[in-house]
């Protein structure tokens, strides 16, 4: 099962980049108040929003990659090899049945007829099963990664909403002229009272030990933008996961069918063999 | 949901595969909805308890959690806020329950179709 992987499709590296982008934005510091009376936690660079360019160009599963992109890790090279293989076999089948890749996740080829599939790919039953099993493992790996990202994003969104709440409260208090008294956590289990005077600005924690002062309106805008980006990224992620799960299902069904076909063939051969031995 | 490994001859067409995929998606969504409904119910219970405590307390100023800090808020305002939050949460819960009903209905439809075609070769029940 050797294939030329010179270059290989660069969509996979773009997908990795997208994954990387998710994780860098999630590494914000999670510190509490440090001597400032009113400090809000906010999230740094807005999570890289929908990679709209990737989505608009569903890549055909054909081995036309940019040269010079040598995949480095094992996972990449295996995925690339097999997506090339799938491409080689799928190029001869009808295209409506072949799912194109999505952001680097190769689509599982739907098998119309097991026998034609096996002759096309030139696999025997065992190697076909092995190939499909390996694909399944890779899909599972990717699924775990995406699930972890989804969890992170789902934790991030309520955080941003809480920050928005606080800014809104401060803005509401601005008009009345009275100070807001709040108890905040100095350390685990230890709280202290703070008297928050009227002021027009809040400080937002941007991560990486950086805090910036914003006016209330700007802070609200920034937080709202972050919230929207987070929600958009979450939607894209969920769509990715659904696509991935579909491919997993297709692969599982294909494995079952190849296996059944093999059992069926053996049975036929056995019957044929026993009937010929009866005759002779 | 698993795919059964029966020995039957029934071929799987592209529509069948799409139905199976759709069933898988719906099943996942169903479990997610279950979890979300649980969380929403807990939140409503907590708000109920909070408003009950509020009635019992005789303090004028209540520490109300906004974000990560507890702001001193007069009792009436806290009451209003809790009412609002209860509203929002129960609307959310209603929406989730509705979605769950529709997901269950769609799953029942698909089950009928798939069992009709594959009979024993497919297993669509929970583990």
């Amino acid at each position: 099962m050797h294939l030329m992987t010179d270059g290989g499709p660069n969509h996979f590296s773009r997908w990795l980049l997208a994954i990387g982008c998710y994780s860098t934005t999630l590494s914000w510091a999670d510190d509490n108040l440090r001597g400032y009376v009113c400090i809000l936690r906010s999230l740094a660079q807005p999570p890289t929003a929908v990679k709209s360019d990737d989505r608009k160009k569903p890549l055909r599963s054909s081995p036309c990659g940019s040269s010079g992109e040598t995949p480095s890790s094992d996972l990449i090279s295996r995925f690339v090899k097999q997506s090339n293989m799938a491409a080689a076999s799928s190029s001869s089948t009808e295209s409506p049945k072949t799912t194109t890749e999505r952001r680097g996740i190769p689509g599982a080829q739907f098998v119309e007829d097991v026998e034609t599939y096996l002759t096309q790919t030139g696999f025997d039953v065992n190697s076909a099963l092995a190939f499909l099993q390996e694909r399944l493992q890779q899909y599972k790996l990717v699924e775990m990664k995406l699930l972890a990202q989804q969890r992170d994003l789902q934790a991030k969104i309520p955080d941003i909403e809480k920050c928005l709440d606080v800014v809104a409260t401060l803005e509401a208090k601005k008009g009345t002229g009275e100070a807001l008294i709040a108890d905040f956590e100095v350390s685990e289990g230890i709280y202290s009272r703070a008297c928050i005077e009227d002021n027009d600005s809040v400080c937002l924690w941007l991560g990486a030990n950086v805090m910036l002062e914003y006016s209330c309106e700007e802070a609200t805008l920034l937080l709202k933008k972050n919230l929207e980006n987070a929600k958009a990224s979450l939607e894209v992620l969920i769509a990715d996961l659904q696509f991935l799960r579909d491919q997993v299902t297709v692969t599982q069904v294909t494995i079952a069918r190849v296996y059944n076909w093999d059992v069926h063939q053996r049975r036929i051969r056995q019957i044929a063999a026993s009937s010929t031995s009866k005759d002779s | 949901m698993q795919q059964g490994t029966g020995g039957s001859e029934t071929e799987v067409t592209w529509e069948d595969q799409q139905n199976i995929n759709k069933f898988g998606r719906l099943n996942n969504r169903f479990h997610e909805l279950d979890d979300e409904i649980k969380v929403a119910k807990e939140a409503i219970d907590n708000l109920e308890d909070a408003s009950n405590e509020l009635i019992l307390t005789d303090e004028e100023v209540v520490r109300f959690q906004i974000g990560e800090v507890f702001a001193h808020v007069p009792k009436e305002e806290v009451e209003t806020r809790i009412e609002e939050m209860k509203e929002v949460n129960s609307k959310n819960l209603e929406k989730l329950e509705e979605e769950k009903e529709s997901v269950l209905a769609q799953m029942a439809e698909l089950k009928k179709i798939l069992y009709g075609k594959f009979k024993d070769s497919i297993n669509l029940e929970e583990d």
Side-chain angles (χ1 to χ4, degrees):
Chain A
M1 288 211 276
H2 303 295
L3 265 187
M4 296 300 288
T5 54
D6 49 305
N10 65 353
H11 56 270
F12 192 80
S13 44
R14 264 197 281 161
W15 176 62
L16 277 189
L17 205 57
I19 300 265
C21 286
Y22 283 134
S23 50
T24 48
T25 57
L26 298 176
S27 60
W28 65 94
D30 203 85
D31 298 353
N32 279 322
L33 303 171
R34 298 229 197 135
Y36 281 98
V37 163
C38 65
I39 289 183
L40 301 167
R41 271 209 322 257
S42 173
L43 305 157
Q45 339 146 330
T48 7
V50 181
K51 288 244 168 199
S52 49
D53 51 337
D54 276 356
R55 285 182 71 190
K56 285 189 196 133
K57 300 186 262 171
L59 297 164
R60 301 267 132 215
S61 49
S62 59
C64 57
S66 66
S67 56
E69 289 239 14
T70 20
S72 42
S73 80
D74 270 353
L75 181 59
I76 306 176
S77 45
R78 256 184 290 142
F79 241 139
V80 164
K81 273 194 187 134
Q82 291 180 350
S83 61
N84 282 344
M85 197 125 55
S89 51
S90 67
S91 50
S92 39
T93 56
E94 315 161 60
S95 44
K97 307 288 168 49
T98 320
T99 9
T100 51
E101 301 157 42
R102 184 196 163 101
R103 290 159 60 94
I105 310 172
Q109 179 205 358
F110 176 67
V111 164
E112 281 288 355
D113 179 36
V114 178
E115 193 148 357
T116 27
Y117 172 69
L118 289 177
T119 43
Q120 249 171 24
T121 54
F123 287 155
D124 67 327
V125 180
N126 287 331
S127 40
L129 282 174
F131 167 70
L132 289 168
Q133 290 281 14
E134 211 189 323
R135 262 300 180 87
L136 203 62
Q137 293 304 336
Q138 291 170 348
Y139 282 143
K140 295 276 177 195
L141 252 173
V142 172
E143 188 177 352
M144 276 189 336
K145 277 207 200 108
L146 290 183
L147 276 173
Q149 288 179 356
Q150 185 192 12
R151 269 196 301 266
D152 285 336
L153 269 177
Q154 278 174 335
K156 195 170 161 177
I157 288 180
D159 256 355
I160 310 185
E161 283 171 355
K162 276 196 230 173
C163 292
L164 269 172
D165 259 344
V166 181
V167 180
T169 316
L170 283 177
E171 271 194 280
K173 277 289 182 184
K174 238 193 326 189
T176 63
E178 39 176 78
L180 178 70
I181 309 183
D183 295 338
F184 64 94
E185 192 175 7
V186 179
S187 169
E188 175 120 12
I190 304 177
Y191 291 78
S192 172
R193 189 148 297 170
C195 174
I196 305 173
E197 300 286 330
D198 220 14
N199 45 7
D200 297 320
S201 64
V202 293
C203 302
L204 291 180
W205 177 262
L206 302 179
N209 284 332
V210 172
M211 175 176 286
L212 271 187
E213 191 171 346
Y214 289 93
S215 72
C216 282
E217 294 86 25
E218 282 174 2
T220 322
L221 274 171
L222 180 69
L223 287 171
K224 283 208 171 113
K225 194 168 67 116
N226 283 357
L227 187 64
E228 273 166 33
N229 284 344
K231 287 192 173 155
S233 302
L234 189 63
E235 273 176 33
V236 172
L237 199 61
I238 290 180
D240 279 347
L241 266 171
Q242 284 187 330
F243 173 79
L244 189 64
R245 288 209 184 102
D246 280 351
Q247 306 318 304
V248 166
T249 315
V250 172
T251 314
Q252 284 173 333
V253 169
T254 314
I255 290 179
R257 287 168 66 200
V258 169
Y259 184 78
N260 290 353
W261 180 84
D262 184 43
V263 164
H264 187 66
Q265 292 299 103
R266 280 179 211 263
R267 232 182 270 153
I268 293 182
R269 263 179 269 147
Q270 228 179 18
I271 295 176
S274 58
S275 64
T276 45
S277 59
K278 258 192 258 164
D279 291 342
S280 60
Chain B
M1 182 210 87
Q2 322 151 348
Q3 280 73 35
T5 48
S8 79
E9 284 291 343
T10 6
E11 273 309 315
V12 181
T13 62
W14 179 233
E15 291 89 40
D16 294 330
Q17 183 64 72
Q18 286 186 306
N19 282 341
I20 297 177
N21 285 352
K22 188 155 171 227
F23 186 85
R25 283 198 201 196
L26 287 173
N27 197 29
N28 277 324
R29 183 69 195 136
F30 174 70
H31 287 297
E32 280 172 23
L33 279 171
D34 255 350
D35 290 334
E36 284 175 29
I37 287 179
K38 207 168 63 144
V39 165
K41 280 199 177 139
E42 267 176 36
I44 291 188
D45 281 342
N46 285 341
L47 288 171
E48 270 300 320
D49 289 343
S51 61
N52 289 341
E53 282 292 327
L54 201 57
I55 299 174
L56 294 171
T57 187
D58 48 2
E59 274 182 52
E60 210 10 75
V61 172
V62 180
R63 286 163 203 69
F64 183 76
Q65 183 182 22
I66 306 180
E68 295 289 316
V69 303
F70 295 88
H72 288 209
V73 185
K75 202 160 137 185
E76 298 83 31
E77 199 182 321
V78 176
E79 265 175 37
T80 350
R81 285 211 196 205
I82 291 192
E83 285 305 318
E84 275 173 44
M85 283 166 73
K86 272 202 279 192
E87 267 293 317
V88 166
N89 267 310
S90 27
K91 279 215 186 80
N92 193 27
L93 185 66
E94 240 180 69
K95 210 171 50 138
L96 289 174
E97 299 270 11
E98 264 179 45
E99 198 184 338
K100 184 170 146 181
E101 294 295 309
S102 103
V103 162
L104 272 174
Q106 288 180 51
M107 274 167 65
E109 266 299 311
L110 284 173
K111 264 196 206 182
K112 245 188 343 193
I113 300 177
L114 288 171
Y115 276 142
K117 169 127 192 230
F118 292 111
K119 300 184 220 352
D120 279 339
S121 306
I122 196 168
N123 173 27
L124 300 170
E125 306 305 322
E126 298 286 314
D127 295 328

